[in-house]
Amino acid sequence: MSGPQFPPLFQALATAGADPMAVACAEARAGCDAGLVAYDITLDALRAAIVFAPEVPLHKAMIMLAICGIGFQNALGALAPPEVSVHLEWGGGIRVNGARCGALQVMAAPENPNIEPDWLVVGLMLTLWSEGSEKGTTPDETTLFDEGCSEVDATGLLEAWARHTLVWINRWSDEGVKPVHDEWTGLAHGIGESATIGAQSGRFLGVDESFGMLLQGADETAMIPITQTLTPAT
């Protein structure tokens, strides 16, 4: 079986069972070109990671979490049955028909928000199928199979994720933050609901122009920087 086909400037790297996030970070540290897509597809899960080389400080480069999330939503939205809904959590979680089905995560180095990172990697983990799962026993967790997406080809979804993500990278480059902010806000899970981030709790109002979470507490509205969603690089 042939591997995934990506747009120019993207390069595929099958990880043969190894964690694509770990592989992509190792390749980034070694100086690989931006656009590397490490991936591993099994019956149960689609795992992938894209290497970026941002030319802006980390706090601005973190918009890649939103862009990759939008790219994924657009990709699955185009391939799944029309009744399937896809929404995005601020911290990277992916919701399909309201239940958690996977997540995005970000690693970067260095992790100083005010410094341009040498590299930034966005990883994707999506649950395709779970042996022995009974729908209804874990209502907040699901799989693509359980949500009627058994006909969605994982390789095709990975290819579409890269294509749609590239479209949104180009829009951000050409038009700035606003279209990304508007699109992501329309896809966000939990706006208007209670949320807890670390020791802070409140009502999730949305995000500011830097994708910081706006959390309305009893006395004031706090802004939680998007850099707090970083997974520490190992």
Side-chain angles (χ1 to χ4, degrees), residues 50-220:
I50 304 177
V51 176
F52 297 98
E55 297 180 350
V56 294
L58 180 57
H59 72 274
K60 292 185 177 181
M62 286 294 295
I63 197 174
M64 287 302 158
L65 176 62
I67 286 174
C68 288
I70 294 168
F72 176 81
Q73 191 279 338
N74 290 181
L76 183 55
L79 297 173
E83 65 272 15
V84 173
S85 66
V86 185
H87 292 89
L88 307 171
E89 295 179 358
W90 178 75
I94 295 169
R95 298 259 176 177
V96 177
N97 291 338
R100 190 80 176 265
C101 192
L104 297 159
Q105 67 176 134
V106 184
M107 292 185 181
E111 297 175 11
N112 185 324
N114 300 312
I115 293 177
E116 183 179 303
D118 297 328
W119 53 266
L120 182 146
V121 175
V122 178
L124 166 70
M125 195 294 293
L126 187 73
T127 305
L128 303 176
W129 180 77
S130 180
E131 184 177 4
S133 66
E134 295 184 17
K135 195 171 182 179
T137 58
T138 55
D140 200 43
E141 297 179 9
T142 193
T143 71
L144 278 195
F145 181 87
D146 286 333
E147 299 306 326
C149 300
S150 59
E151 299 302 315
V152 175
D153 175 70
T155 299
L157 179 56
L158 175 60
E159 294 172 341
W161 180 45
R163 291 196 305 271
H164 285 280
T165 294
L166 181 59
V167 167
W168 280 97
I169 290 172
N170 289 336
R171 284 202 67 181
W172 170 57
S173 178
D174 294 341
E175 303 175 42
V177 172
K178 188 179 187 305
V180 181
H181 185 282
D182 291 349
E183 182 78 4
W184 187 91
T185 299
L187 300 173
H189 172 80
I191 290 181
E193 300 176 4
S194 296
T196 298
I197 304 295
Q200 294 179 280
S201 297
R203 182 168 170 261
F204 178 25
L205 300 180
V207 295
D208 68 7
E209 64 179 9
S210 298
F211 286 87
M213 173 183 268
L214 300 175
L215 202 60
Q216 184 182 47
D219 301 319
E220 61 180 4

